Amino acid sequence: MDSTGCVNQRRSYNGELCTIRYAGKVAGTTGEWLGVEWDDPTRGKHSGEHQGVRYFTCKSKNPTAGSFVRPSRAADKPRSFLEALREKYASEFEEEAARRKLGDAASGDSLHKPIAISGKIVEEVGFDKIRKQLAELQELKIVLLDGLRVAGVLAHEGSAEQFQSACKEIEQTCPKIVELDLSRNLLNRWRDVASICDSLKRLKTLKLNGNRMDPPVGEGLRFERITELQLDDTLLSWDEISALTYQFSSLTTLIASANQISYISSPLSSTITTLTLEDNEISSLSSLRQLVSLDSLSCLSLRGNRINKIYESSPDEASPLRFSKNLQSVDLSRNRIDNWLFVNQLSLVFPGLQTLRISGNPLHDQSVGPSIVTGLPEKTMTIDEAYMLTLSRIASLKMLNYGTITEKDRSNAELYYLSLIGKELSAFPESAAREILPKHPRYSELCEIYGEPVIRRATALTGSGVAVNPRSVAARLLRIAFCLRRELPNPGNSVMNQDNALKEEVKVKEIPRSFDTYQVKAIVSRLFDLAPYEFRLIWETDELDPVSKQNIDDEDGWDSEDESINPSEPRNSSAFVKREVELVDGTRDIGFLFQSDLTEARIRVEVATQSYVEHRNM
């Protein structure tokens, strides 16, 4: 039996889709075999090679995408486009119609003649519902035929007359379709796809995800009305995809994810405005250089690739990578970006960048900075820190990780970033600035906006009495000493008094005055490894409060004419205590709580009692 004519045909066995890549004998066995590449690459056993002999090559790079099956193995029945449409949207009604037709034939037409009442024909009960539902096929605008074993206009090869008749029936049956999903079917010929599209005069969106299409060469087909094309997991090469876009004269959105693409070797149609290349194998932005000529491109998604650098090799200064200013939205999430120098260059590569997604990269699994800079043990940065350190490096951003950036977000982030640069400069000799500052290209710009950070190097510390420039970063930051008293473990049965049983931990942090209490508590939670809402923050002010009614009365009745007593000193200091103010949860800036001339504060961290926690969680 000669089965070579079935090579490249699509088949389905027990619901598993595949493409026939080989037909013939296999050494060491008897009879004929079909070598198939499964759409699910984990379904097979090899890559087309058996006992050292290669019989076919799979498009998938997975080593277990192929296997051999006998030609006699029964395949699932393919469907035509209209068979799948009726199966999905009108099966129960067509089955009812077929049952009634068989019943009419069995019982005789006389029993099922139209009923006339006062000379008017009344349709039989039930058929009006069927006809109504079938008529609704003509109103369908969004049609999903994914996974229904659609082979094309016809289920099998037919004559030209049958093909043309089927196309005409498609046009009459569902003329209003705007969006069509033919994903994960048995399609492989672009001629069939083009004929279906030509029959649907209003079609705009076409989804062919998961099919295994033949290369679109030599067919001269045109898809005039399609504006969005989805080709996910089709395993088409980039050159095939590129050539295909020129056959879609109105195409604006192209989605070609999960196609093993590592390099963009040819340009696309200039009509493309949105391009999605997620879950491919791109490792550098310079691999996309062929796309810089797309002046209309406004949205680019590279999520889930392997990107970890801008340039594959040393950058060419004469021809830097730079996209059109019209490209405003870029998704780089879930790649392999692991350094801030990459982020610093994004504004150069994408000069029009306004919307960025960059979450899920190793960059955010690092610490904010080494302990010599932050003064804290190295810990993975929080989501808030990653957010601030990203947006502060790109001045043009308006949205980051789906969140809109407010003016307050930006000022907080840039102040925080500038303070870290100041700490880094303080941690090293002055001569190191020439190596440090190039890593922070926005430093001069931020200094113009907020003033230069105070540099306190160990060899030249400034005194606390030095006046603070009101425009400087120091004037916008509050240096807070957070104090927490923890219980010490009691060794054995030794007797310890209350004071000896406690150890005070002090952590100092500079915080923007525009932070609210929630943000401050998030910082404290990280500093002391405390769970949120399980502690209180008490500001220990320098003001004194009376603790007895007598002192309260004395203070209220103070006689300013009595010059023998200094009013700034309480007459009984033992009856006065420092005023304490709790930082109550809220969105108001802490700058409203601390006066503008206050640059340092001490805040006591009190671990809340169980009853307090339960009350907060109610």
Side-chain angles (χ1 to χ4, degrees):
M1 179 185 68
D2 183 12
S3 55
T4 56
C6 65
V7 173
N8 291 330
Q9 283 185 4
R10 297 278 284 159
R11 296 270 180 99
S12 173
Y13 294 104
N14 297 324
E16 295 283 351
L17 302 179
C18 65
T19 305
I20 298 176
R21 301 294 187 197
Y22 170 79
K25 296 184 178 296
V26 176
T29 67
T30 59
E32 296 281 319
W33 291 92
L34 297 178
V36 301
E37 178 182 356
W38 299 100
D39 287 16
D40 177 4
T42 64
R43 169 67 176 77
K45 297 181 179 179
H46 51 76
S47 62
E49 184 176 315
H50 178 66
Q51 294 183 351
V53 178
R54 177 159 297 282
Y55 293 90
F56 62 95
T57 301
C58 296
K59 285 191 173 184
S60 172
K61 295 180 180 179
N62 194 295
T64 60
S67 63
F68 292 101
V69 299
R70 290 292 187 183
S72 58
R73 180 175 176 177
D76 300 329
K77 182 181 178 182
R79 295 188 179 98
S80 69
F81 176 85
L82 284 176
E83 285 174 340
L85 181 75
R86 288 166 177 150
E87 172 72 20
K88 179 71 175 285
Y89 294 98
S91 59
E92 60 177 296
F93 303 103
E94 290 208 335
E95 290 173 1
E96 178 66 18
R99 284 195 297 269
R100 287 178 177 273
K101 186 176 181 180
L102 290 174
D104 291 348
S107 57
D109 291 341
S110 60
L111 297 178
H112 293 275
K113 291 181 179 180
I115 301 173
I117 300 177
S118 301
K120 295 182 179 181
I121 302 298
V122 179
E123 292 190 4
E124 186 174 355
V125 177
F127 270 101
D128 56 341
K129 182 178 179 182
I130 296 170
R131 291 192 180 97
K132 178 181 177 182
Q133 194 68 20
L134 292 177
E136 287 182 358
L137 292 177
Q138 297 183 340
E139 301 299 321
L140 288 173
K141 294 183 178 180
I142 299 177
V143 170
L144 309 178
L145 301 181
D146 53 311
L148 291 180
R149 303 196 300 276
V150 178
V153 174
L154 300 173
H156 303 280
E157 290 290 338
S159 64
E161 292 76 13
Q162 290 175 320
F163 190 88
Q164 293 300 324
S165 176
C167 289
K168 188 67 175 178
E169 189 177 358
I170 291 174
E171 181 178 351
Q172 295 173 346
T173 302
C174 45
K176 296 184 180 181
I177 294 179
V178 175
E179 178 179 323
L180 176 61
D181 190 346
L182 290 172
S183 302
R184 293 171 292 281
N185 277 295
L186 301 178
L187 295 167
N188 72 317
R189 297 184 303 185
W190 284 104
R191 179 173 68 92
D192 281 315
V193 176
S195 297
I196 293 172
C197 293
D198 286 342
S199 301
L200 303 175
K201 306 301 182 184
R202 300 186 185 183
L203 186 63
K204 297 293 183 182
T205 299
L206 176 62
K207 301 179 182 180
L208 297 173
N209 305 323
N211 287 287
R212 296 292 183 265
M213 307 299 299
D214 293 338
V217 293
E219 298 191 37
L221 303 174
R222 304 296 296 175
F223 300 81
E224 302 291 344
R225 295 179 294 273
I226 305 299
T227 60
E228 178 178 337
L229 176 63
Q230 296 190 14
L231 297 172
D232 293 352
D233 191 29
T234 56
L235 301 188
L236 289 168
S237 70
W238 176 257
D239 286 340
E240 290 171 343
I241 293 172
S242 172
L244 187 62
T245 62
Y246 291 97
Q247 300 181 30
F248 289 74
S249 57
S250 301
L251 191 64
T252 59
T253 300
L254 173 63
I255 302 176
S257 301
N259 282 307
Q260 306 176 153
I261 297 169
S262 60
Y263 184 74
I264 305 304
S265 52
S266 51
L268 290 174
S269 168
S270 60
T271 61
I272 304 291
T273 61
T274 299
L275 176 61
T276 301
L277 298 174
E278 298 177 357
D279 299 315
N280 280 294
E281 300 174 5
I282 300 168
S283 61
S284 70
L285 293 182
S286 62
S287 301
L288 310 173
R289 188 178 289 276
Q290 290 284 352
L291 303 179
V292 299
S293 60
L294 291 181
D295 292 335
S296 58
L297 186 64
S298 62
C299 182
L300 174 64
S301 179
L302 301 169
R303 172 185 171 91
N305 276 269
R306 303 174 182 178
I307 297 171
N308 63 356
K309 50 187 173 292
I310 300 291
Y311 295 95
E312 193 65 37
S313 56
S314 299
D316 184 359
E317 295 182 1
S319 179
L321 181 66
R322 181 165 297 182
F323 285 81
S324 165
K325 289 186 177 181
N326 293 324
L327 179 51
Q328 299 181 349
S329 176
V330 178
D331 189 342
L332 293 170
S333 59
R334 300 192 179 281
N335 274 275
R336 300 180 182 180
I337 303 166
D338 59 2
N339 66 88
W340 288 111
L341 296 180
F342 182 101
V343 180
N344 289 340
Q345 297 180 74
L346 288 180
S347 57
L348 300 176
V349 177
F350 305 108
L353 186 61
Q354 295 185 10
T355 300
L356 174 67
R357 191 176 184 205
I358 198 171
S359 57
N361 278 282
L363 171 69
H364 299 138
D365 296 332
Q366 303 173 3
S367 62
V368 174
S371 56
I372 189 175
V373 173
T374 62
L376 298 171
E378 293 190 19
K379 290 185 179 180
T380 301
M381 70 181 69
T382 64
I383 294 176
D384 287 339
E385 288 170 332
Y387 180 84
M388 290 192 293
L389 291 176
T390 302
L391 77 88
S392 60
R393 283 174 161 83
I394 306 175
S396 60
L397 282 187
K398 295 182 179 179
M399 292 190 69
L400 177 60
N401 296 336
Y402 295 130
T404 301
I405 299 172
T406 65
E407 291 184 8
K408 181 178 178 181
D409 291 335
R410 179 160 292 283
S411 63
N412 285 346
E414 291 175 344
L415 280 169
Y416 178 66
Y417 177 41
L418 197 52
S419 70
L420 287 180
I421 300 175
K423 289 181 179 180
E424 187 174 2
L425 291 170
S426 299
F428 296 95
E430 187 173 356
S431 59
R434 284 177 292 181
E435 297 179 5
I436 295 173
L437 293 182
K439 296 187 298 184
H440 307 288
R442 291 201 68 209
Y443 178 71
S444 297
E445 178 187 352
L446 295 178
C447 287
E448 285 292 324
I449 299 173
Y450 303 104
E452 294 185 10
V454 176
I455 309 300
R456 296 188 179 94
R457 293 189 174 90
T459 57
L461 294 178
T462 58
S464 59
V466 177
V468 177
N469 184 345
R471 287 190 66 251
S472 69
V473 176
R476 292 173 171 84
L477 296 177
L478 192 63
R479 186 179 177 85
I480 299 180
F482 295 101
C483 308
L484 173 67
R485 304 186 77 182
R486 296 184 188 268
E487 291 187 5
L488 292 173
N490 190 347
N493 296 321
S494 63
V495 179
M496 301 176 65
N497 60 40
Q498 184 174 1
D499 291 336
N500 292 334
L502 296 176
K503 176 185 178 183
E504 185 174 74
E505 294 183 43
V506 179
K507 302 288 181 66
V508 179
K509 192 79 172 173
E510 289 184 336
I511 296 175
R513 292 176 180 272
S514 54
F515 271 26
D516 57 35
T517 307
Y518 293 116
Q519 292 170 298
V520 175
K521 283 196 168 184
I523 292 173
V524 174
S525 176
R526 175 176 174 268
L527 290 177
F528 295 104
D529 289 326
L530 295 175
Y533 303 114
E534 292 191 1
F535 59 87
R536 302 163 62 203
L537 299 179
I538 308 297
W539 171 32
E540 299 176 351
T541 73
D542 290 331
E543 300 179 15
L544 297 177
D545 274 346
V547 295
S548 66
K549 186 177 184 303
Q550 176 183 354
N551 283 326
I552 294 174
D553 293 340
D554 288 345
E555 188 177 63
D556 291 341
W558 173 257
D559 186 356
S560 61
E561 296 180 358
D562 188 352
E563 299 178 356
S564 62
I565 302 177
N566 186 347
S568 64
E569 296 180 0
R571 286 170 290 179
N572 183 3
S573 60
S574 63
F576 285 77
V577 295
K578 286 187 176 182
R579 177 178 298 169
E580 296 182 344
V581 178
E582 180 178 359
L583 273 64
V584 181
D585 293 350
T587 57
R588 192 177 188 184
D589 297 351
I590 61 172
F592 288 101
L593 181 64
F594 300 98
Q595 57 268 35
S596 59
D597 60 344
L598 183 68
T599 59
E600 298 185 356
R602 175 185 169 93
I603 292 181
R604 189 171 70 252
V605 182
E606 289 188 354
V607 178
T609 61
Q610 184 63 30
S611 60
Y612 174 81
V613 174
E614 292 175 354
H615 174 73
R616 289 295 305 272
N617 294 334
M618 288 180 62

